[in-house]
Structure formats: structure tokens, C-alpha cells
């Protein structure tokens, strides 16, 4: 029997998972989220993935020609130091932090990619990005899953169904599900993002404080975090958005004293690995609070109280 090439294996894998053919996908950024997406799109989806990286990560990927997990399993990729703007990729993923979107947009909007999907957590309205790349090419994905890399290697490649990628179009939800990336769908990504930023930002600051001190927050600090979260939810609704799911809607209506207790307990009960994962989120939390302040001037006193100094 003739040996099956790696390309044939990818094609067979794509067909098995419900894809008629392997797609050409580029990922602009080789951080934790980008690497996790590449891993599953190659190994479970059978797609042809090009990862654009820079710095030490580029050097590592050029040596490995793959995304690696801690057991040295490989997801074979094409590595590039720059995005090939002339290549009509079926999908271009842009999994960068919110404060890196403007820089990335300057490059990717000139791409010939058929669809450009940004993947960041932000409170900013998405209209400017949509207009820059064109409505027909624009897509958005909100990655809820945690991803950890140590020395450029994925610690865990499993994605829980409780932490899916939320996307704006059914075809991309199917693509990701076929690659064993749990996915969900929203038709109002602005509301979805803003509500989650309001909910998550106090948790980020809690983790930063708790990890730095090595002990939980005080009762007064817990109350400040609960007030900040309530203020964030109020701003989301004042801006005309709906709270997008039952869990967040319940959270937005719970009494302040109850939420204060929850924050106090979380600072003492969250696993050290979770605290460590979010301990570097001070800048992200500060950016989120600044964005909420810009959207609702004069209405973020409680949020500014917990804003990290960066």
C-alpha cells in the first residue's frame, strides 16, 4: 500500500469532518490564541494554515515548522515573517490584543483574503474595523477559551464546550466545530463583547491584585469590584445594548452585597494557575476601563476606582 502524504492526510481529515476541501487559512499572530486556533484547524480540521509571526516566536516556528504541544505532538504549518497580501486566503484570522488592532488593521486591510476575522476582546464599537476591511469581508470571533504557552509550546490543546469561540456567521461556527473548536453564534457582536467586558474586567483586576499580594482582597475592595461591575453593566444598557445571555443577565441583576461576597470568595478560592494566567492582565483591564470611560464620560467613577496603574 502506498504511503499517505501529509497533504493527503489533511485532505482526508477535512472530508471526514464535513469539509469538501481544505481551506487556505492565514493567522496573523502566533500568540496563545492564534497558536491554539492553528493547532485545531490543522490537526482536526485538515486545513492549510500559514502563521505570520515575528521576533523570537518567528525564529522558533521557522525551526519547528509546526505548533507543538508539551508532548511534542505537531501541527504542521507554513511559517512567514510577513503576510502575503496577494494571496486570496479563504480566511484570515487576526487574533491580536485590542490595543494591537489598529496596527494589524493597517496591514491586513490590504490583504486579498476573502474573509478577515478579528479576534480580540474590546469595548470599542466594531464599525470602524468593518468599514476598513469591507462589510462583505468582515467577520468577528470572540475567543472565550483560555490558552497557555510556556516557552512557545501549548500546555493544553483541549477547548471546553463551556468556553467556545463566538462568531458572527454560521459558516465559521461550522468550520470551527468541524475542527473541534467549540463555537457559538451571535448576531449582535457589539452587545456580546461589551457585556462580557463589563463582566470580566473586575475579575481581571481581582486576579492581578490577588496574584501580586498572594492573599485575597479585602471586603472593601470586594465591594468596589462589585460596584464597578454593576456600573459596567449599566453603561452597556445605557448605550442601547441588551445583555446577551442568561448568565450575564442574572449577574447584572444580583444584589451588590451578594456580588461583593462572590468577589471576596473568588479571590481566595480561584486556583493559583488561573490567577497566574490572568496576572498579566493589568494593561488589558486598564484599557477596558478607559474604553468604557470614553463611551460614557462621567459615568465610570466606580470603574476608575479599580483601574490598575500601568
Amino acid at each position: 500500500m502506498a504511503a499517505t502524504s501529509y497533504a493527503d492526510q489533511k485532505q482526508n481529515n477535512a472530508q471526514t469532518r464535513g469539509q469538501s476541501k481544505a481551506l487556505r487559512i492565514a493567522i496573523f499572530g502566533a500568540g496563545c490564541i492564534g497558536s491554539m486556533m492553528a493547532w485545531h484547524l490543522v490537526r482536526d480540521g485538515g486545513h492549510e494554515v500559514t502563521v505570520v509571526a515575528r521576533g523570537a516566536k518567528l525564529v522558533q516556528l521557522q525551526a519547528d515548522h509546526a505548533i507543538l504541544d508539551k508532548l511534542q505532538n505537531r501541527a504542521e504549518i507554513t511559517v512567514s515573517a510577513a503576510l502575503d497580501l496577494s494571496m486570496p486566503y479563504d480566511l484570515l484570522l487576526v487574533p491580536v490584543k485590542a490595543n494591537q488592532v489598529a496596527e494589524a488593521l493597517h496591514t491586513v486591510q490590504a490583504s486579498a483574503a476573502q474573509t478577515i476575522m478579528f479576534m480580540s476582546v474590546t469595548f470599542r464599537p466594531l464599525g470602524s474595523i468593518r468599514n476598513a476591511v469591507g462589510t462583505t469581508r468582515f467577520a468577528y470571533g470572540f475567543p472565550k477559551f483560555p490558552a497557555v504557552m510556556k516557552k512557545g509550546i501549548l500546555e493544553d490543546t483541549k477547548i471546553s464546550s463551556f468556553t467556545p469561540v463566538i462568531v458572527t456567521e454560521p459558516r465559521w461556527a461550522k468550520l470551527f466545530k468541524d475542527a473541534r473548536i467549540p463555537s457559538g453564534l451571535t448576531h449582535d457582536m457589539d452587545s456580546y463583547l461589551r457585556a462580557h467586558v463589563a463582566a470580566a474586567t473586575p475579575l481581571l483586576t481581582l486576579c492581578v491584585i490577588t496574584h501580586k499580594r498572594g492573599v485575597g482582597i479585602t471586603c472593601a475592595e470586594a465591594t468596589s469590584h462589585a460596584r464597578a461591575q454593576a456600573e459596567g453593566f449599566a453603561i452597556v444598557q445605557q448605550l442601547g445594548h441588551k445583555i446577551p445571555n442568561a448568565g450575564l443577565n442574572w449577574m447584572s441583576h444580583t444584589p451588590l452585597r451578594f456580588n461583593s461576597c462572590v468577589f471576596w470568595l473568588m479571590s481566595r478560592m480561584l486556583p493559583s494557575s488561573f490567577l497566574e494566567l490572568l496576572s498579566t492582565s493589568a494593561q488589558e483591564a486598564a484599557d477596558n476601563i478607559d474604553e468604557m470611560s470614553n463611551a460614557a464620560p462621567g459615568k465610570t467613577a466606580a470603574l476608575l476606582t479599580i483601574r490598575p496603574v500601568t
Side-chain angles (χ1 to χ4, degrees):
M1 180 180 294
T4 303
S5 70
Y6 182 72
D8 289 338
Q9 290 176 5
K10 290 204 298 181
Q11 182 66 50
N12 292 339
N13 202 13
Q15 292 173 346
T16 299
R17 299 293 295 168
Q19 294 287 341
S20 60
K21 66 182 182 68
L23 300 185
R24 290 177 299 179
I25 299 173
I27 300 179
F28 190 80
C32 296
I33 298 299
S35 297
M36 184 76 94
M37 295 296 292
W39 173 273
H40 286 281
L41 288 168
V42 170
R43 288 181 63 94
D44 297 313
H47 300 292
E48 300 172 8
V49 174
T50 297
V51 175
V52 180
R54 61 186 179 183
K57 187 61 179 178
L58 173 63
V59 174
Q60 180 179 17
L61 290 176
Q62 287 174 329
D64 295 335
H65 297 288
I67 305 293
L68 304 179
D69 71 359
K70 63 182 180 181
L71 299 178
Q72 296 299 300
N73 294 311
R74 300 170 61 85
E76 303 284 345
I77 59 171
T78 299
V79 184
S80 179
L83 180 65
D84 183 350
L85 299 178
S86 66
M87 178 67 72
Y89 294 106
D90 297 294
L91 177 63
L92 168 57
L93 298 180
V94 189
V96 299
K97 293 183 178 180
N99 60 8
Q100 299 171 328
V101 167
E103 179 185 354
L105 181 60
H106 181 72
T107 298
V108 303
Q109 66 183 342
S111 167
Q114 296 178 36
T115 297
I116 303 176
M117 179 184 289
F118 289 83
M119 303 182 75
S120 61
V121 182
T122 182
F123 200 81
R124 297 173 187 170
L126 303 180
S128 60
I129 303 175
R130 183 184 293 106
N131 293 338
V133 302
T135 302
T136 58
R137 294 202 301 162
F138 172 82
Y140 211 92
F142 171 30
K144 297 175 70 174
F145 61 82
V148 179
M149 298 187 80
K150 292 185 178 180
K151 296 182 179 180
I153 295 175
L154 286 170
E155 282 289 294
D156 190 355
T157 58
K158 294 179 180 178
I159 301 177
S160 168
S161 60
F162 295 104
T163 55
V165 177
I166 306 300
V167 296
T168 49
E169 296 182 43
R171 59 174 170 157
W172 302 125
K174 182 181 186 308
L175 176 83
F176 292 160
K177 286 177 181 177
D178 287 344
R180 295 181 181 172
I181 301 170
S183 303
L185 184 67
T186 180
H187 297 293
D188 185 2
M189 184 59 79
D190 282 285
S191 293
Y192 202 96
L193 285 170
R194 286 182 157 182
H196 278 82
V197 167
T201 298
L203 176 60
L204 297 181
T205 63
L206 177 149
C207 290
V208 170
I209 294 169
T210 302
H211 185 267
K212 182 178 180 179
R213 291 181 185 167
V215 296
I217 60 176
T218 66
C219 290
E221 288 171 329
T223 300
S224 295
H225 280 69
R227 285 188 176 134
Q229 188 179 72
E231 188 173 72
F233 280 129
I235 290 170
V236 170
Q237 293 173 311
Q238 289 165 12
L239 291 173
H241 300 292
K242 294 182 178 180
I243 306 300
N245 61 47
L248 291 182
N249 190 55
W250 175 84
M251 193 183 298
S252 70
H253 286 89
T254 50
L256 179 67
R257 182 171 294 181
F258 177 85
N259 276 349
S260 298
C261 293
V262 170
F263 277 109
W264 187 88
L265 287 170
M266 283 196 299
S267 72
R268 287 158 173 79
M269 298 178 65
L270 286 173
S272 58
S273 58
F274 186 83
L275 293 174
E276 182 179 2
L277 176 65
L278 297 183
S279 64
T280 59
S281 299
Q283 187 63 59
E284 180 181 353
D287 289 345
N288 289 345
I289 292 171
D290 291 344
E291 289 172 8
M292 285 187 270
S293 296
N294 290 335
K299 298 181 179 180
T300 55
L303 283 160
L304 291 171
T305 298
I306 68 166
R307 184 189 186 280
V309 177
T310 57

